[in-house]
Amino acid sequence: MNLIDQYFEVKDLKKKEFLLQDGRICDFIGFINNGTIRHFHVKDGIEKTCDISFENSWVTDFQSFTHNSLCIMNLQAMEDTTVFIIRKENLHKIYSDCHAYETFGRLMAEQVAQRATEIAMSLSSDKLEERFQNLIKKQPDLFQRIPQKYIANFLGISPESLSRIRRRIFDKLKS
């Protein structure tokens, strides 16, 4: 626990504040203690939401983190959020100070990779309504915490289409 206190920093973000912005090098991995982070990039001037992470999730731009390259990902708080971050150099120090943390690092990377795989599989094989239902199942208070326009953007549809799908699903549940 002393190593965690020594190497992790607490970052409190206000709603809409950025943890990471594109064009910078990502030199940290963050753990969301409370709150929500939206992952997005900008293509042709339009924001594309790639993921929405909640409590007990790891966030980073692994491409930038691993290769010291400029990132294209933005990480933005959707509500007041607290993130514990460990800088790259401190991660390497903690690995050398306590080899058990190498296992911790592997498990953390596996969790991030698993989430990316789940999203890719869902995008390629699930119908829109299935993706929506899975989102609600995993995060029942989603609509109380995240504006509908970002949820729709993540699903790749307009907010109006999301309203229609949402209404149709809730009508089925009532029947």
Side-chain angles (χ1 to χ4, degrees), residues 7-155:
Y7 291 120
F8 280 80
E9 15 178 315
V10 177
K11 183 122 177 126
D12 290 312
L13 302 167
K14 295 289 182 199
K15 183 178 181 174
K16 298 284 187 176
E17 191 175 347
F18 285 88
L19 179 62
L20 177 67
Q21 286 185 281
D22 59 2
R24 299 194 175 141
I25 294 176
C26 181
D27 69 341
F28 67 88
I29 296 174
F31 179 80
I32 302 172
N33 184 56
N34 66 300
T36 310
I37 299 283
R38 177 174 74 108
H39 311 230
F40 72 95
H41 67 278
V42 179
K43 184 172 182 177
D44 301 326
I46 299 169
E47 292 181 0
K48 303 286 186 177
T49 301
C50 306
D51 198 4
I52 300 169
S53 295
F54 296 90
E55 290 85 5
N56 303 315
S57 297
W58 294 97
V59 293
T60 193
D61 181 325
F62 264 123
Q63 183 78 17
S64 175
F65 182 82
T66 304
H67 299 291
N68 290 322
S69 58
L70 297 178
C71 65
I72 60 168
M73 189 66 61
N74 295 281
L75 302 175
Q76 182 183 39
M78 291 286 86
E79 57 190 345
D80 290 351
T81 300
T82 302
V83 181
F84 298 125
I85 62 170
I86 186 165
R87 303 276 173 198
K88 189 175 192 174
E89 65 273 6
N90 285 336
L91 185 63
H92 293 294
K93 286 179 190 174
I94 203 170
Y95 287 166
S96 64
D97 287 353
C98 182
H99 293 292
Y101 280 100
E102 288 179 350
T103 302
F104 161 80
R106 179 183 52 79
L107 293 172
M108 174 190 52
E110 287 173 2
Q111 183 190 46
V112 171
Q114 181 180 347
R115 176 70 182 148
T117 301
E118 285 173 7
I119 291 170
M121 294 292 288
S122 178
L123 285 171
S124 68
S125 61
D126 290 348
K127 293 178 181 171
L128 185 56
E129 286 191 20
E130 290 174 306
R131 290 179 45 222
F132 174 78
Q133 288 175 328
N134 288 336
L135 215 73
I136 296 299
K137 191 183 309 174
K138 288 181 182 174
Q139 200 62 45
D141 60 347
L142 182 69
F143 282 94
Q144 286 74 43
R145 297 177 71 180
I146 305 296
Q148 182 169 313
K149 69 180 184 178
Y150 298 122
I151 300 167
N153 190 274
F154 176 60
L155 293 170

